[in-house]
Amino acid sequence: MAGSLKKLREQINQIAPNRSVSSDGTIGDAAHVSRKSDHNPWIIENGIGVVTALDVTHDPIHGCDAQKLVDSLISSKDQRIKYIIYNGKIISSTFKPWEWRPYTGVNPHNKHCHISVNGEKEKYDSALPWQIKL
Ligand SMILES: [Zn+2]
């Protein structure tokens, strides 16, 4: 798992230690493998695949509000972000930068938000603290 996402999950868990992880995800399941997804370890580093996507469960009752998380990530415009999907919408740092667009994939992402990080090692493995609010 990319170092930047390990750091992000660690920060989220510190803020909301009792949050549900029922829709959390890192590495792709069988359904993901056939699809183009950053949950698939397509980046190979010294023979080991690197996963560059993280799903975070929306659990506002236990202090992890995916909308707040997504909003804070967007306002930070952190250079590590590649794109974010939440609640039927997608926002990218490169294509139409930081502008929400409809997301037409099979999963509307309403139980979790999806964060993909950039494919360059100095970005995906950067463990600098993220500017987040939950
Ligand atoms: Zn995802």
Side-chain angles (χ1 to χ4, degrees):
M1 184 173 171
S4 60
L5 294 175
K6 275 189 205 158
K7 179 68 182 179
L8 178 59
R9 189 170 58 182
E10 195 183 290
Q11 285 182 252
I12 292 167
N13 288 342
Q14 267 166 17
I15 299 169
N18 299 318
R19 72 185 184 91
S20 163
V21 293
S22 62
S23 289
D24 269 33
T26 52
I27 195 155
D29 54 18
H32 272 99
V33 170
S34 59
R35 286 188 245 129
K36 188 177 172 289
S37 164
D38 289 335
H39 290 296
N40 298 324
W42 57 270
I43 294 174
I44 307 296
E45 202 183 288
N46 302 322
I48 297 164
V50 181
V51 173
T52 53
L54 174 67
D55 292 333
V56 180
T57 307
H58 177 53
D59 183 14
I61 291 162
H62 298 104
C64 186
D65 187 314
Q67 187 66 61
K68 286 188 187 166
L69 172 62
V70 164
D71 289 346
S72 60
L73 285 169
I74 293 166
S75 55
S76 78
K77 290 195 167 62
D78 195 300
Q79 294 203 330
R80 290 169 289 186
I81 298 167
K82 184 176 165 193
Y83 60 84
I84 295 170
I85 306 169
Y86 186 54
N87 239 347
K89 291 185 291 180
I90 182 166
I91 193 164
S92 162
S93 63
T94 52
F95 181 73
K96 295 195 177 174
W98 309 113
E99 194 182 302
W100 281 111
R101 289 173 285 129
Y103 177 72
T104 53
V106 189
N107 184 326
H109 290 70
N110 50 12
K111 293 190 175 71
H112 69 268
C113 61
H114 170 112
I115 300 134
S116 276
V117 288
N118 275 305
E120 299 130 52
K121 181 169 172 60
E122 62 279 12
K123 288 188 178 156
Y124 69 67
D125 259 351
S126 160
L128 288 171
W130 294 80
Q131 294 170 46
I132 53 164
K133 283 196 187 106
L134 298 177

